[in-house]
Structures are given as C-alpha cells and as structure tokens.
Amino acid sequence: MALKLKKGSMGGIDMTPMIDVMFQLLIFFIVATKLDESEHELKVQLPSASEAKPLTSKPEELLVSIDKNGNFLINNRGVPLETLEQSLARASLDNPGRQLVRIRADQDAAHKFVVAVMNACNKAGITDYRIDTQKTE
C-alpha cells in the first residue's frame, strides 16, 4: 500500500482557538476601561471641608518623655499630668484609632510615672503606645 504525501503541507498547531481567546480578552478590557472612565465623567460638585485630610496621611506621632524626677514632656515641652491627658484625648479625637504615642522614660524614673502615661493613653482611647528602650551591646 502506497502512502500519499502532500507536498508543501506541514503539520502545525491550529491557532484559531488562541486568536479567539485573544479577541475575547481584548473586548473585555476595552469594555472594562470604558466603564471606569464613565464614572469620572459624571459632573458632580464635591463639598469642601476646611479640615479635610487625605485618608492616606499618617498621623503625627506623639513623643512623651519622662525624666528621672517624674516630669512629663510632650514633644520636648514640659506639661503636668492633667495637660498630658487632655493632649492625648485631643490627639485621639483628631486621629481615631490611628494615633501613635512613643513613651521615653529615664531609666531611673519610677515605674508609676510610666504607668500614669499608659493609663492616660488608655483613657484617651489610644491603644498604639510604645515604650522606647536602648539596645544593649
């Protein structure tokens, strides 16, 4: 039995299904892009707010220092405990749930002063407070 060979024909991969998929993807992305653009084309007058801040802004970190005599300092400004509590409450209202307080206490300061600052943070609703330490060699 003789085998018939077609001259000039090569065995190959059928590209039709891949081309169909590429056209489907192209149509999908064109339609999706048009929907996204139409959202920005609406003529909307946005309200303004004098105290508005972007959501991505990081709140200012408060630094509370305690010297060995138990004096409190907020950002290197001496304050009594009552003023410290008011400042922490104000900072908590300005940045609800996102305010960070760093507590730096002298190694010879009594533990009760550190606990007083931590208590003031809890009263103000600030849960993200950290006690700074120095790494020993």
Side-chain angles (χ1 to χ4, degrees):
M1 173 165 201
L3 183 65
K4 293 183 182 179
L5 293 176
K6 292 183 182 179
K7 293 188 178 182
S9 82
M10 293 178 42
I13 299 174
D14 187 15
M15 298 296 288
T16 307
M18 187 171 78
I19 293 172
D20 288 345
V21 169
M22 293 302 293
F23 279 128
Q24 292 290 329
L25 286 173
L26 181 67
I27 291 170
F28 171 77
F29 286 119
I30 289 173
V31 170
T33 303
K34 294 295 181 188
L35 290 176
D36 185 41
E37 289 175 0
S38 66
E39 181 179 309
H40 296 291
E41 290 176 359
L42 294 174
K43 302 296 182 207
V44 176
Q45 181 74 29
L46 296 175
S48 62
S50 62
E51 298 298 318
K53 295 179 182 175
L55 293 175
T56 58
S57 69
K58 186 177 179 184
E60 186 177 319
E61 171 181 290
L62 282 178
L63 177 64
V64 178
S65 300
I66 306 168
D67 67 6
K68 64 182 176 182
N69 299 324
N71 298 318
F72 301 105
L73 294 97
I74 297 179
N75 294 333
N76 297 323
R77 197 180 76 243
V79 295
L81 182 59
E82 297 79 28
T83 307
L84 173 70
E85 290 176 350
Q86 293 170 357
S87 297
L88 292 174
R90 192 174 326 110
S92 177
L93 287 175
D94 291 342
N95 302 300
R98 300 182 327 143
Q99 184 62 53
L100 170 65
V101 176
R102 287 184 35 224
I103 303 170
R104 298 185 54 178
D106 189 274
Q107 67 180 0
D108 296 328
H111 186 66
K112 66 180 181 180
F113 298 120
V114 176
V115 172
V117 174
M118 293 168 63
N119 189 44
C121 287
N122 289 331
K123 279 184 187 177
I126 298 173
T127 57
D128 191 5
Y129 51 86
R130 302 167 188 184
I131 300 174
D132 288 352
T133 60
Q134 184 175 348
K135 184 176 181 179
T136 57
E137 296 295 322

